[in-house]
Amino acid sequence: MQNRSIYSSDHELFRANARRFFREELEPNIEQWEKDGIVPKAFWRKAGANGFLCCGVPEEYGGPGADFLYNMALSEETGYAIGGASVGFSVSADIVAYYLMNAGTEEQKRRWLPGMVAGEVIASIGMTEPGAGSDLKAIRTSAVRDGDEYVINGQKTYITNGQNSDFVLLACVTEPGKGARGISMIIVEADRPGFERGRNLDKIGQKAADTSEMFFQDVRVPVSNLVGKEGEGFTMMMRELPRERITIACRAQAEAQRAFDVTNAYVKERKMFGQALADFQNTQFTLADLKTNLEVGWAYLDQCIKKCAEGTLTPEEGAMAKLWTTENEGVVVDKCLQLFGGYGYMSEYPIARMFVDARVRRIYGGASEVMKLVIARSL
């Protein structure tokens, strides 16, 4: 992660502060939070107090008005931290906040953004359903207009921040039969009658992440909760997805880098047949391959981050970044775990946590197969 020209000295100072924050506030507590199955809201408030949430929110809405590279530096540091995969900052700060900034009304911005910056308000986004994952056009949750209200019915699943969230930005069908043109994005507050959180889902990794089901039974919200225009939800999702995929790519790349760094240190200490594991040619060649893959990944990712900050990143470029970094992360953590031998299979070793936490990166935000479809359509 050295000599990356896209970041200034101010960005790097911010990165150093974020790394220190995660080392002091996250890493010592992640084991307990995994047992609890949730990252406490107090941690969000500490992050907000330190300026680590919603970096791009303008000053008029309580934010620092920083450029997008600060978000990316924070995403990388969240990924680099042990246990950072369970932290849902990016959904609230890098995704929902930008929906509100780019399409929300003035009232919506003033109501929600200051609290999100401070960590007092946590947001989630409701896209995935039991029968609709990567195929967002297949969603069935409905919002029927009734006077000045929408009546919402349906179900969502695999929702990050599902237990902690104060509101969910919900993808709904407002005009049945119109396919993608019938989808809208609507804010649903968690205290609305008829809204119910389902169970906190039991996952193989990211054990501290409150990934949940959500149920909506005749939930009434005012029409003023509509974000953007009716029927423009799918277009909005397609516009925001490249940013989400770059955020995922940053996390994946940083997680892979941490796995490599942890392993590189371990093999120099671990003795086998009277010499350090690092002295064996197999170890050296394995690490040489991984280092090369990581350097290539950082180079392409930096190109995409720069374009994303400039607003010129194409959907296929975002898809390629996510595809490469997440697939490569799987290779890196697997080969790193192998170098730990039996210790790598023990939960007490960070590499074991990295191994299971990494697996979902190839699935959410659009599975690798969907990324290939996006790329292929551009050919």
Side-chain angles (χ1 to χ4, degrees), residues 1-5 7 12 15 19 72-81 250-251 253-258 260-261 291 294-295 298-299 301-302:
M1 298 174 68
Q2 302 298 318
N3 303 317
R4 299 174 62 198
S5 60
Y7 291 112
E12 294 302 341
R15 177 193 300 281
R19 184 170 296 192
M72 295 299 92
L74 184 69
S75 290
E76 291 171 9
E77 288 308 312
T78 308
Y80 195 74
C250 285
R251 297 280 289 270
Q253 184 72 10
E255 287 166 0
Q257 185 70 54
R258 185 63 185 271
F260 175 86
D261 292 348
K291 180 175 176 59
L294 286 167
E295 291 296 327
W298 284 119
L301 183 59
D302 283 357

Side-chain angles (χ1 to χ4, degrees), residues 1 4-19 51-52 55-56 65-77 305-306 309:
M1 298 174 68
R4 299 174 62 198
S5 60
I6 64 169
Y7 291 112
S8 69
S9 58
D10 288 339
H11 293 126
E12 294 302 341
L13 178 60
F14 176 80
R15 177 193 300 281
N17 290 335
R19 184 170 296 192
F52 296 136
C55 302
D67 64 64
F68 187 66
L69 294 179
Y70 284 90
N71 295 60
M72 295 299 92
L74 184 69
S75 290
E76 291 171 9
E77 288 308 312
I305 291 173
K306 185 174 184 292

Side-chain angles (χ1 to χ4, degrees), residues 95-296:
I95 300 173
V96 177
Y98 279 87
Y99 273 91
L100 295 178
M101 286 191 288
N102 293 334
T105 65
E106 188 67 18
E107 178 186 0
Q108 290 167 351
K109 294 174 185 177
R110 295 197 179 279
R111 180 180 179 185
W112 296 112
L113 290 176
M116 293 168 68
V117 171
E120 298 289 343
V121 173
I122 299 172
S124 59
I125 188 164
M127 294 184 182
T128 304
E129 298 181 2
S134 294
D135 182 11
L136 294 173
K137 289 183 287 188
I139 66 172
R140 300 173 62 106
T141 297
S142 65
V144 178
R145 182 80 177 257
D146 182 19
D148 292 332
E149 295 181 317
Y150 287 110
V151 181
I152 298 173
N153 285 280
Q155 177 183 353
K156 298 291 181 179
T157 193
Y158 308 144
I159 305 303
T160 301
N161 300 335
Q163 299 294 316
N164 270 335
S165 60
D166 298 286
F167 75 92
V168 54
L169 181 59
L170 197 66
C172 306
V173 176
T174 49
E175 296 181 81
K178 287 194 172 182
R181 289 177 293 178
I183 296 173
S184 302
M185 303 299 288
I186 300 174
I187 293 171
V188 180
E189 300 91 340
D191 58 0
R192 291 277 174 184
F195 169 79
E196 182 181 350
R197 304 179 202 269
R199 61 195 175 97
N200 196 2
L201 299 171
D202 185 15
K203 308 175 294 295
I204 63 171
Q206 300 187 5
K207 293 287 190 178
D210 54 321
T211 311
S212 309
E213 299 171 311
M214 289 182 172
F215 301 94
F216 308 86
Q217 184 172 356
D218 295 329
V219 179
R220 288 183 172 269
V221 301
V223 172
S224 59
N225 278 22
L226 176 70
V227 176
K229 295 180 180 179
E230 197 169 275
E232 291 187 350
F234 188 78
T235 300
M236 291 165 56
M237 287 189 284
M238 293 302 100
R239 185 175 64 235
E240 299 296 335
L241 272 174
R243 179 184 291 105
E244 177 183 354
R245 287 167 180 164
I246 286 298
T247 300
I248 294 171
C250 285
R251 297 280 289 270
Q253 184 72 10
E255 287 166 0
Q257 185 70 54
R258 185 63 185 271
F260 175 86
D261 292 348
V262 166
T263 305
N264 191 32
Y266 174 79
V267 298
K268 294 171 183 176
E269 299 173 357
R270 179 78 165 101
K271 300 294 183 182
M272 181 177 291
F273 303 116
Q275 59 182 324
L277 191 56
D279 293 332
F280 290 92
Q281 189 180 71
N282 178 72
T283 304
Q284 295 168 7
F285 280 12
T286 298
L287 292 179
D289 279 341
L290 298 183
K291 180 175 176 59
T292 302
N293 286 352
L294 286 167
E295 291 296 327
V296 169

Side-chain angles (χ1 to χ4, degrees), residues 15-87:
R15 177 193 300 281
N17 290 335
R19 184 170 296 192
R20 185 181 308 110
F21 174 78
F22 287 127
R23 185 174 63 243
E24 294 174 355
E25 301 292 343
L26 170 64
E27 294 185 356
N29 296 309
I30 188 60
E31 186 174 346
Q32 182 59 51
W33 295 349
E34 288 186 338
K35 292 177 182 178
D36 298 338
I38 197 166
V39 174
K41 289 187 175 183
F43 178 70
W44 284 77
R45 291 191 290 271
K46 284 184 180 180
N50 282 274
F52 296 136
L53 297 177
C54 301
C55 302
V57 170
E59 293 181 12
E60 60 189 298
Y61 305 118
D67 64 64
F68 187 66
L69 294 179
Y70 284 90
N71 295 60
M72 295 299 92
L74 184 69
S75 290
E76 291 171 9
E77 288 308 312
T78 308
Y80 195 74
I82 301 297
S86 290
V87 177

